[in-house]
Amino acid sequence: MPRGDLARRRSTQHAWLITGPLAMVAVACSTITGLVARPAFGEWPLAVVLLIAMIVLGMPVLNFVIRRQAFGITLAEIPLVIAFYLLPPLTVVVVYTVASMATQTRHRIAPEKFWFNVAKAAAGTSLAALLLQALPPMNNLGPGTWLSLFAAAEAVCLVSLSAIVGVHTLLQGWQAGRQALRAPGLLTAAINVCLGLIILIAVNETWWSAILLAVLGAALILVYRSYAQFFRQHRTLAEMYDLTRAIAERGQDGTLVDALLGRVRGMMQAEYATLWLPAQGRHPEVLLTARVDDAGLLDVVRTPASLRDQAASESRTIAVGRAFDGEPGARRALHDDKIKDVIVVPLRSGQAVIGTLEVANRLSDVRHFTAADIPVFETVAAHVAVALENSRLVDRLRHDAYHDSLTKLPNRRRITAALEEAVKIRAPGEVVALLLFDVDRLRSVNESLGHAAGDKVLIEVAERLRSRAPSSALVGRVGGDEFLVTLRLESAEAALEMAARMREQIRAEMVFDDGLTVDVDTAVGVATHPEHGSDPAALLQRVDLAATAAKSVPGSVQLFNPALESRSLRRLGIAGDLRRALDDGELEVYFQPKVTLRDRRLVGVECLARWDDPAHGSVAPDDFVAVAEHTGQLGRLTEFVLREGLRRSRDWAHGGHPLSVAVNISPRTLTDQHFPARVQELLEEYGVPPQRLTLEIKESGVLDGTDRPIPTLRRLRDLGVRLSVDDFGTGDSSLAHLRRLPVHEVKVDRSFVQGMATDPGDLAIVNAVVTLSQQFGLAVVAEGVESELTLELLQDIGCEIGQGFLFSRPLPYERLEAWFGAQVDPEAVPAGELPRLRVVP
């Protein structure tokens, strides 16, 4: 049996617990009054007049609804006071009780409520009549009579208020009783008693005052009704403000519907308030109802679905009830469902209808929805529509922020948040496993078949992972071709088995609707918590390292191990500190001399960046240059070395020792179209002739099989800058390729130079490079000259310039200055021989 029906039957049964005692009080007090009063009955013509007045003035001018019950403030105390003075006591009891019966009959209320109100009226007047018998006789209209009449009328009001509070507390709880106690019944009764006394005094003085009193009464009724209208408007504004505040507070936490429906139901004083939102996108259909006797929301409704469909399809308000001209069929349907009236308003977003809001059954037996309620309800519906649209928009933005737009899987942000929660709670004997699936050859699919085909592959991989992963797993996309599966397993070995099994399951051939067939494999990296870390960022980084290692062996599954992280962590730390080092000037430029091999004269220096970091120690140039290339700091690093080299070249020229400087540049720098112009600006800034600057580019950078670097090299050559091919011989290019390049110099790699003295093959290579380069008009510089025997062999084959530890290691500027001062050692120069440069270790 529905809970609401049970609640209503209990209310009917328990109401007699209040009605019965009231009836007994009425009988007892009336009996005692009849025994002591003389006369107890009489004056029936005047009683009929006052009965009519009580019925007319007994119509409510202020109404209050408490839960399901309603009571009103009337002007009935005015004729009651006159009746107590002019009529015998039991006649007053009969007249007031009959007037109450007539008023309740007109409202057609339920029997239990009818007899409660009749018993309340009879008990109140009989107690007041008995009270008047105990007070001094009312012989005139002096102050004593005023007090007696006031006490009698207020006794009626106290009995009425006590009965109302009692029945509300009994049937609906102490909160309803307390709310009934707050109604201004005693205050308005006191005002009405005073007005009744004034009328009594005036009529006792002259019956002509009745004309003025009638005008005053009509005006009083108008004032009461105006106050009632003001009271309703104030209450509506207050409840609208409460609704708006609830929308602001609950709009972002997912409880908006709960807050809305309860307040809408209370504002419209309805038994039911229902919200219907059809399914839209990923949002399911919503059909929820707030009911006056239930704290939560119900997923059922009492009103016919046809009214809801009509309001949505016709985009207009549908109102059915006693006060509306509705279709007879709709009214019959409501009657069959025990619904007396209903208002259904469409919720609009622009011109589109996004749902409906409806209220049913105006609370209390005597009140109904009226045409005046429709504008208020439509205003409420407009607020609700905006709030729901904003809530769904926020939900959509939140969903998009945490999900991948292509595959609809959770993205890296959502996975990171889930990992933060997962690592906080771990049961003994289990691990949190991360399986990273890296799709192989996706780039080939994009290049050969287009990105649309690549998107299809990604969507299919996502669907296969989602369908084959355990139900407890979280499947997400963390990168362009990377998918992560997170789940709890018994051990790392179980994670490896799961990864291998899932990889085999998603390897099946992919056949799409347009006939496209793709065979895609994946490499899988595996990491576990707590073995491989407790921080989500660290776990994601380590599983990525494992996936990268797995790619080196096609189709493999790789478990993370610390060896994979050592170099990656170092470079990661370097990346964070390099920018700071450039900002703070922590990098230095070292200089390695370049000398002529025949007479050992200093002709220039090579500028080399060096970095001693407090945290990382001495960082190898290969490490921080590679980091600079991948973090966008290569331009700053190159300009730093250029500036330092040009500044020293200018200073040396001013000191009478004009020297050329050589600076290494990355092959990536040659792709910068603005680099030649920047070099020209720096040359002009420091006043160094272009021919005194040599730019060294690795062989792999200028001989990459394409013509991409040639335009930039030509622009640099046109500036007058010398160009050198560094580390020549280590790549796959031939000497013939040098003929196409606008370069001036070739540097033979140290690996060949250092092996000349012991390896005939290296000697032959260096000899061939020197010979052919000279035939092409190119200067040759030998790197790695570290012994006198190597120096003599280079002299024999005609190499002109060399650099190496035989002459000097790379030196900071201060030590280089000292080296300049100690170039010649007079004691070590035999007579008739050229001076030799001293070796600086």
Side-chain angles (χ1 to χ4, degrees):
M1 181 176 293
R3 177 182 172 186
D5 293 343
L6 181 61
R8 283 193 291 273
R9 191 170 68 248
R10 285 180 177 176
S11 298
T12 300
Q13 295 170 350
H14 288 77
W16 294 101
L17 295 176
I18 303 295
T19 304
L22 288 175
M24 295 174 61
V25 169
V27 171
C29 291
S30 297
T31 302
I32 297 173
T33 302
L35 294 175
V36 300
R38 292 292 181 272
F41 292 98
E43 301 292 339
W44 294 110
L46 180 60
V48 172
V49 175
L50 291 175
L51 173 62
I52 296 172
M54 288 182 184
I55 293 174
V56 173
L57 296 179
M59 303 302 296
V61 293
L62 283 179
N63 291 287
F64 297 89
V65 177
I66 301 175
R67 303 261 175 121
R68 293 180 177 274
Q69 307 300 325
F71 66 94
I73 302 298
T74 70
L75 301 177
E77 290 84 3
I78 296 176
L80 180 63
V81 170
I82 298 173
F84 275 132
Y85 182 74
L86 297 177
L87 299 178
L90 290 185
T91 302
V92 177
V93 174
V94 172
V95 169
Y96 194 74
T97 303
V98 172
S100 176
M101 294 175 68
T103 303
Q104 303 305 317
T105 301
R106 180 182 180 277
H107 291 317
R108 293 182 294 182
I109 61 177
E112 62 273 8
K113 189 171 184 181
F114 174 87
W115 291 113
F116 167 79
N117 287 327
V118 171
K120 173 171 63 86
T125 52
S126 60
L127 181 63
L130 183 60
L131 178 63
L132 285 176
Q133 301 306 310
L135 295 175
M138 297 182 291
N139 297 323
N140 54 51
L141 283 175
T145 299
W146 299 352
L147 292 176
S148 297
L149 293 175
F150 188 88
E154 286 297 322
V156 176
C157 294
L158 281 173
V159 171
S160 177
L161 182 60
S162 300
I164 291 173
V165 171
V167 76
H168 278 84
T169 303
L170 178 65
L171 303 183
Q172 300 175 10
W174 64 270
Q175 292 182 341
R178 186 177 63 177
Q179 190 174 355
L181 188 62
R182 293 177 179 177
L186 293 177
L187 177 61
T188 56
I191 296 174
N192 291 339
V193 170
C194 293
L195 292 174
L197 290 172
I198 294 172
I199 293 172
L200 186 61
I201 293 171
V203 171
N204 186 65
E205 184 67 25
T206 173
W207 282 98
W208 289 103
S209 63
I211 299 174
L212 298 177
L213 292 174
V215 175
L216 179 62
L220 185 62
I221 292 175
L222 293 176
V223 169
Y224 266 93
R225 291 193 178 278
S226 298
Y227 175 74
Q229 183 179 5
F230 169 77
F231 180 81
R232 286 193 299 269
Q233 292 174 347
H234 175 75
R235 189 198 66 192
T236 301
L237 288 175
E239 290 177 342
M240 190 69 73
Y241 170 75
D242 185 54
L243 177 67
T244 305
R245 186 175 61 180
I247 289 173
E249 293 176 351
R250 303 289 187 88
Q252 312 300 329
D253 61 2
T255 61
L256 178 62
V257 175
D258 305 69
L260 282 178
L261 284 180
R263 285 169 171 80
V264 169
R265 189 211 57 76
M267 179 182 297
M268 298 304 297
Q269 295 182 358
E271 182 180 1
Y272 300 99
T274 300
L275 173 69
W276 173 66
L277 300 173
Q280 180 183 7
R282 66 181 187 84
H283 298 284
E285 181 184 22
V286 175
L287 186 61
L288 294 173
T289 298
R291 184 172 177 268
V292 65
D293 290 330
D294 294 286
L297 298 181
L298 308 176
D299 58 357
V300 295
V301 293
R302 295 287 302 277
T303 53
S306 58
L307 297 180
R308 195 174 306 115
D309 297 337
Q310 183 181 358
S313 61
E314 299 179 6
S315 186
R316 66 181 181 90
T317 300
I318 304 296
V320 182
R322 179 186 298 179
F324 307 111
D325 297 330
E327 298 179 2
R331 296 190 64 175
R332 283 195 300 271
L334 291 184
H335 183 269
D336 294 340
D337 291 332
K338 297 181 180 181
I339 300 295
K340 65 179 181 179
D341 47 10
V342 64
I343 302 176
V344 183
V345 178
L347 301 176
R348 297 183 180 89
S349 176
Q351 299 299 321
V353 175
I354 63 173
T356 61
L357 185 67
E358 62 188 66
V359 288
N361 276 9
R362 189 66 177 267
L363 289 178
S364 87
D365 299 325
V366 300
R367 301 189 64 197
H368 297 80
F369 291 123
T370 64
D373 293 315
I374 293 179
V376 175
F377 193 38
E378 288 178 338
T379 303
V380 171
H383 282 275
V384 171
V386 172
L388 290 172
E389 276 294 278
N390 290 341
S391 177
R392 284 196 169 184
L393 176 61
V394 170
D395 182 68
R396 191 179 307 119
L397 292 174
R398 185 182 293 116
H399 179 272
D400 291 345
Y402 286 96
H403 289 79
D404 174 55
S405 59
L406 177 64
T407 63
K408 311 305 178 185
L409 293 177
N411 59 13
R412 179 179 288 271
R413 181 183 300 177
R414 172 70 181 89
I415 291 172
T416 302
L419 278 176
E420 289 177 353
E421 296 298 323
V423 299
K424 292 178 182 178
I425 304 174
R426 186 179 66 88
E430 72 173 13
V431 298
V432 178
L434 286 73
L435 317 179
L436 183 62
F437 293 80
D438 193 312
V439 181
D440 289 339
R441 298 187 298 276
L442 181 64
R443 182 175 180 180
S444 301
V445 174
N446 288 331
E447 291 177 350
S448 57
L449 301 175
H451 286 277
D455 290 345
K456 291 181 179 180
V457 170
L458 291 174
I459 294 173
E460 179 64 20
V461 171
E463 184 59 32
R464 291 184 179 185
L465 284 173
R466 186 161 35 198
S467 62
R468 288 161 175 79
S471 58
S472 60
L474 176 65
V475 181
R477 183 185 179 196
V478 294
D481 56 357
E482 295 178 337
F483 296 87
L484 186 73
V485 178
T486 304
L487 70 166
R488 297 179 183 274
L489 293 171
E490 297 82 6
S491 62
E493 290 74 19
L496 285 171
E497 294 177 3
M498 174 70 71
R501 184 166 61 252
M502 292 183 63
R503 174 183 164 271
E504 288 299 323
Q505 291 173 343
I506 66 175
R507 284 185 65 193
E509 190 176 63
M510 298 181 185
V511 180
F512 299 98
D513 296 337
D514 54 3
L516 176 65
T517 302
V518 178
D519 184 11
V520 178
D521 200 356
T522 57
V524 190
V526 179
T528 60
H529 162 77
E531 182 181 359
H532 300 140
S534 299
D535 179 68
L539 286 169
L540 289 172
Q541 178 197 4
R542 289 164 181 171
V543 75
D544 187 64
L545 289 173
T548 302
K551 292 172 70 174
S552 61
V553 180
S556 68
V557 177
Q558 173 68 52
L559 180 67
F560 171 80
N561 63 79
L564 300 174
E565 191 178 30
S566 57
R567 184 171 181 84
S568 176
L569 282 178
R570 178 173 173 80
R571 286 204 170 184
L572 184 64
I574 290 173
D577 294 336
L578 179 59
R579 188 182 304 275
R580 174 190 52 79
L582 287 170
D583 292 337
D584 298 343
E586 294 182 4
L587 270 70
E588 292 186 76
V589 174
Y590 279 38
F591 305 90
Q592 185 171 27
K594 298 168 67 175
V595 301
T596 57
L597 299 180
R598 289 292 179 186
D599 51 11
R600 302 194 186 185
R601 290 186 300 105
L602 182 64
V603 294
V605 293
E606 181 179 1
C607 304
L608 302 169
R610 294 292 184 267
W611 181 21
D612 287 327
D613 184 74
H616 305 289
S618 180
V619 184
D622 289 344
D623 284 341
F624 68 77
V625 170
V627 169
E629 288 181 344
H630 290 89
T631 58
Q633 302 180 73
L634 181 62
R636 291 188 62 193
L637 178 62
T638 302
E639 183 171 338
F640 166 73
V641 179
L642 273 172
R643 284 185 174 277
E644 187 66 13
L646 293 175
R647 182 168 69 90
R648 297 305 182 187
S649 179
R650 179 193 60 190
D651 295 343
W652 289 325
H654 292 168
H657 301 286
L659 294 175
S660 64
V661 292
V663 175
N664 292 283
I665 62 173
S666 169
R668 184 170 296 186
T669 304
L670 297 178
T671 63
D672 183 2
Q673 298 179 356
H674 303 288
F675 179 68
R678 187 58 181 154
V679 171
Q680 183 177 10
E681 292 174 2
L682 292 175
L683 289 170
E684 294 174 354
E685 178 181 348
Y686 288 98
V688 176
Q691 63 271 15
R692 227 177 264 171
L693 173 64
T694 300
L695 298 179
E696 299 183 358
I697 309 101
K698 289 185 179 295
E699 177 190 6
S700 57
V702 293
L703 298 172
D704 60 354
T706 69
D707 294 334
R708 286 178 298 181
I710 293 179
T712 303
L713 292 174
R714 286 175 177 169
R715 290 177 59 191
L716 291 170
R717 183 196 60 185
D718 294 341
L719 290 177
V721 174
R722 291 178 57 82
L723 301 175
S724 176
V725 179
D726 196 11
D727 297 340
F728 189 81
T730 57
D732 297 329
S733 59
S734 65
L735 288 170
H737 292 159
L738 293 175
R739 301 184 62 183
R740 301 186 299 109
L741 299 177
V743 297
H744 306 85
E745 179 181 280
V746 174
K747 296 186 73 172
V748 185
D749 187 69
R750 69 180 67 247
S751 60
F752 302 113
V753 174
Q754 292 174 347
M756 289 174 58
T758 57
D759 189 340
D762 289 341
L763 177 60
I765 290 174
V766 175
N767 187 20
V769 171
V770 171
T771 302
L772 290 177
S773 297
Q774 290 175 347
Q775 291 181 1
F776 293 153
L778 302 177
V780 180
V781 178
E783 297 181 300
V785 182
E786 297 183 358
S787 66
E788 291 289 346
L789 178 58
T790 301
L791 174 62
E792 293 176 358
L793 291 174
L794 289 171
Q795 289 175 341
D796 292 341
I797 63 177
C799 185
E800 301 172 353
I801 302 173
Q803 64 183 91
F805 290 175
L806 177 64
F807 309 115
S808 175
R809 296 175 181 270
L811 301 173
Y813 177 74
E814 293 76 12
R815 294 191 63 190
L816 184 67
E817 287 292 313
W819 184 82
F820 280 161
Q823 286 185 41
V824 179
D825 184 0
E827 298 178 356
V829 180
E833 293 188 10
L834 293 175
R836 296 179 179 271
L837 298 178
R838 298 181 61 187
V839 175
V840 179

PDB file of all heavy atoms in Angstrom, residues 152-165:
ATOM      1  N   ALA A 152     -13.857  36.529  27.498  1.00  0.00           N
ATOM      2  CA  ALA A 152     -14.670  35.481  26.877  1.00  0.00           C
ATOM      3  C   ALA A 152     -14.246  35.237  25.434  1.00  0.00           C
ATOM      4  O   ALA A 152     -14.091  34.083  24.992  1.00  0.00           O
ATOM      5  CB  ALA A 152     -16.147  35.879  26.946  1.00  0.00           C
ATOM      6  N   ALA A 153     -14.058  36.334  24.663  1.00  0.00           N
ATOM      7  CA  ALA A 153     -13.661  36.169  23.256  1.00  0.00           C
ATOM      8  C   ALA A 153     -12.278  35.547  23.133  1.00  0.00           C
ATOM      9  O   ALA A 153     -12.027  34.674  22.274  1.00  0.00           O
ATOM     10  CB  ALA A 153     -13.702  37.515  22.547  1.00  0.00           C
ATOM     11  N   GLU A 154     -11.355  35.968  23.975  1.00  0.00           N
ATOM     12  CA  GLU A 154     -10.004  35.406  23.910  1.00  0.00           C
ATOM     13  C   GLU A 154      -9.994  33.956  24.358  1.00  0.00           C
ATOM     14  O   GLU A 154      -9.165  33.155  23.899  1.00  0.00           O
ATOM     15  CB  GLU A 154      -9.043  36.229  24.768  1.00  0.00           C
ATOM     16  CG  GLU A 154      -8.673  37.573  24.159  1.00  0.00           C
ATOM     17  CD  GLU A 154      -7.932  37.410  22.836  1.00  0.00           C
ATOM     18  OE1 GLU A 154      -7.103  36.482  22.706  1.00  0.00           O
ATOM     19  OE2 GLU A 154      -8.192  38.218  21.920  1.00  0.00           O
ATOM     20  N   ALA A 155     -10.936  33.580  25.262  1.00  0.00           N
ATOM     21  CA  ALA A 155     -11.035  32.168  25.648  1.00  0.00           C
ATOM     22  C   ALA A 155     -11.430  31.321  24.444  1.00  0.00           C
ATOM     23  O   ALA A 155     -10.901  30.208  24.240  1.00  0.00           O
ATOM     24  CB  ALA A 155     -12.053  32.014  26.776  1.00  0.00           C
ATOM     25  N   VAL A 156     -12.347  31.825  23.625  1.00  0.00           N
ATOM     26  CA  VAL A 156     -12.713  31.104  22.405  1.00  0.00           C
ATOM     27  C   VAL A 156     -11.507  30.954  21.495  1.00  0.00           C
ATOM     28  O   VAL A 156     -11.248  29.873  20.932  1.00  0.00           O
ATOM     29  CB  VAL A 156     -13.864  31.846  21.684  1.00  0.00           C
ATOM     30  CG1 VAL A 156     -14.181  31.158  20.354  1.00  0.00           C
ATOM     31  CG2 VAL A 156     -15.104  31.893  22.547  1.00  0.00           C
ATOM     32  N   CYS A 157     -10.738  32.038  21.342  1.00  0.00           N
ATOM     33  CA  CYS A 157      -9.542  31.986  20.477  1.00  0.00           C
ATOM     34  C   CYS A 157      -8.487  31.045  21.037  1.00  0.00           C
ATOM     35  O   CYS A 157      -7.827  30.321  20.284  1.00  0.00           O
ATOM     36  CB  CYS A 157      -8.969  33.391  20.308  1.00  0.00           C
ATOM     37  SG  CYS A 157     -10.065  34.497  19.400  1.00  0.00           S
ATOM     38  N   LEU A 158      -8.304  31.034  22.345  1.00  0.00           N
ATOM     39  CA  LEU A 158      -7.298  30.151  22.934  1.00  0.00           C
ATOM     40  C   LEU A 158      -7.668  28.688  22.738  1.00  0.00           C
ATOM     41  O   LEU A 158      -6.813  27.846  22.432  1.00  0.00           O
ATOM     42  CB  LEU A 158      -7.150  30.461  24.429  1.00  0.00           C
ATOM     43  CG  LEU A 158      -6.307  31.694  24.787  1.00  0.00           C
ATOM     44  CD1 LEU A 158      -6.390  31.982  26.287  1.00  0.00           C
ATOM     45  CD2 LEU A 158      -4.849  31.474  24.373  1.00  0.00           C
ATOM     46  N   VAL A 159      -8.956  28.367  22.927  1.00  0.00           N
ATOM     47  CA  VAL A 159      -9.377  26.995  22.704  1.00  0.00           C
ATOM     48  C   VAL A 159      -9.170  26.601  21.246  1.00  0.00           C
ATOM     49  O   VAL A 159      -8.674  25.504  20.929  1.00  0.00           O
ATOM     50  CB  VAL A 159     -10.855  26.823  23.116  1.00  0.00           C
ATOM     51  CG1 VAL A 159     -11.380  25.459  22.677  1.00  0.00           C
ATOM     52  CG2 VAL A 159     -11.013  26.975  24.627  1.00  0.00           C
ATOM     53  N   SER A 160      -9.529  27.518  20.325  1.00  0.00           N
ATOM     54  CA  SER A 160      -9.362  27.235  18.903  1.00  0.00           C
ATOM     55  C   SER A 160      -7.888  27.028  18.548  1.00  0.00           C
ATOM     56  O   SER A 160      -7.522  26.070  17.856  1.00  0.00           O
ATOM     57  CB  SER A 160      -9.952  28.373  18.079  1.00  0.00           C
ATOM     58  OG  SER A 160      -9.732  28.155  16.702  1.00  0.00           O
ATOM     59  N   LEU A 161      -7.010  27.939  19.045  1.00  0.00           N
ATOM     60  CA  LEU A 161      -5.586  27.828  18.735  1.00  0.00           C
ATOM     61  C   LEU A 161      -4.989  26.571  19.351  1.00  0.00           C
ATOM     62  O   LEU A 161      -4.190  25.869  18.712  1.00  0.00           O
ATOM     63  CB  LEU A 161      -4.851  29.081  19.231  1.00  0.00           C
ATOM     64  CG  LEU A 161      -3.349  29.135  18.933  1.00  0.00           C
ATOM     65  CD1 LEU A 161      -3.082  29.086  17.442  1.00  0.00           C
ATOM     66  CD2 LEU A 161      -2.720  30.386  19.561  1.00  0.00           C
ATOM     67  N   SER A 162      -5.379  26.256  20.584  1.00  0.00           N
ATOM     68  CA  SER A 162      -4.846  25.046  21.233  1.00  0.00           C
ATOM     69  C   SER A 162      -5.270  23.799  20.477  1.00  0.00           C
ATOM     70  O   SER A 162      -4.480  22.854  20.315  1.00  0.00           O
ATOM     71  CB  SER A 162      -5.343  24.985  22.681  1.00  0.00           C
ATOM     72  OG  SER A 162      -4.912  26.123  23.404  1.00  0.00           O
ATOM     73  N   ALA A 163      -6.507  23.786  20.006  1.00  0.00           N
ATOM     74  CA  ALA A 163      -6.973  22.620  19.253  1.00  0.00           C
ATOM     75  C   ALA A 163      -6.216  22.478  17.940  1.00  0.00           C
ATOM     76  O   ALA A 163      -5.839  21.361  17.540  1.00  0.00           O
ATOM     77  CB  ALA A 163      -8.473  22.750  18.990  1.00  0.00           C
ATOM     78  N   ILE A 164      -5.985  23.597  17.259  1.00  0.00           N
ATOM     79  CA  ILE A 164      -5.263  23.546  15.972  1.00  0.00           C
ATOM     80  C   ILE A 164      -3.829  23.087  16.180  1.00  0.00           C
ATOM     81  O   ILE A 164      -3.320  22.217  15.455  1.00  0.00           O
ATOM     82  CB  ILE A 164      -5.312  24.926  15.299  1.00  0.00           C
ATOM     83  CG1 ILE A 164      -6.744  25.231  14.841  1.00  0.00           C
ATOM     84  CG2 ILE A 164      -4.361  24.976  14.110  1.00  0.00           C
ATOM     85  CD1 ILE A 164      -6.920  26.631  14.326  1.00  0.00           C
ATOM     86  N   VAL A 165      -3.143  23.658  17.182  1.00  0.00           N
ATOM     87  CA  VAL A 165      -1.764  23.247  17.463  1.00  0.00           C
ATOM     88  C   VAL A 165      -1.726  21.771  17.849  1.00  0.00           C
ATOM     89  O   VAL A 165      -0.852  21.006  17.420  1.00  0.00           O
ATOM     90  CB  VAL A 165      -1.161  24.127  18.572  1.00  0.00           C
ATOM     91  CG1 VAL A 165       0.189  23.574  19.031  1.00  0.00           C
ATOM     92  CG2 VAL A 165      -1.008  25.557  18.089  1.00  0.00           C
TER      93      VAL A 165
END
